[in-house]
Amino acid sequence: MSTETNESSPVDSLILGEIQVLLSEKRTALSTMRTGIAVFALPVSVLSVLIATSRNYNIGHVMPLLLPLLFLNLGLVVLGSWLIFHSIGRLHLYDRRIRELTKKYRSLAEVVD
């Protein structure tokens, strides 16, 4: 916003719009990270239940069921890890872009921070 008048210039409005889009993308990356954490936690909880109840069954008898479950859990761990690391990378990208915009347009830095 310009200091002489209380009206914003079209450039300031455009940059504020871009920053709003970046912040919404950042919010989406945070929800992706939340989903990745949930997907990652599911196999851990399933395996902890299997370990806690392991005295009630013989591993040799349940191996045909246990192997597909372990492969599924491995896939979920890989997917959850990828979602988490991908969203962290996107968060850094959006933060860097917002920082660049606020350095370039000093008049908007106080509004964004």
Side-chain angles (χ1 to χ4, degrees):
M1 294 190 179
S2 59
T3 56
E4 299 87 32
T5 63
N6 289 335
E7 299 175 13
S8 62
S9 70
V11 173
D12 288 348
S13 297
L14 183 67
I15 300 305
L16 273 176
E18 185 175 349
I19 289 174
Q20 285 177 337
V21 168
L22 288 170
L23 289 174
S24 68
E25 290 291 331
K26 187 175 177 181
R27 190 172 50 247
T28 303
L30 286 170
S31 68
T32 303
M33 183 186 298
R34 182 184 64 220
T35 303
I37 291 169
V39 168
F40 188 84
L42 181 68
V44 174
S45 62
V46 168
L47 289 178
S48 65
V49 167
L50 287 176
I51 291 170
T53 60
S54 64
R55 64 177 164 210
N56 298 332
Y57 57 84
N58 185 354
I59 298 228
H61 289 103
V62 295
M63 191 58 72
L65 299 173
L66 194 59
L67 281 178
L69 179 67
L70 290 176
F71 283 123
L72 179 65
N73 284 344
L74 178 66
L76 288 173
V77 166
V78 169
L79 175 64
S81 300
W82 181 81
L83 286 170
I84 291 168
F85 288 118
H86 180 72
S87 64
I88 288 173
R90 300 304 292 179
L91 285 171
H92 288 303
L93 176 74
Y94 299 139
D95 283 339
R96 186 171 52 246
R97 181 68 182 137
I98 291 171
R99 202 171 26 254
E100 289 170 0
L101 287 172
T102 54
K103 283 181 183 179
K104 187 174 180 181
Y105 301 98
R106 291 282 185 197
S107 61
L108 296 176
E110 60 200 31
V111 176
V112 175
D113 291 335

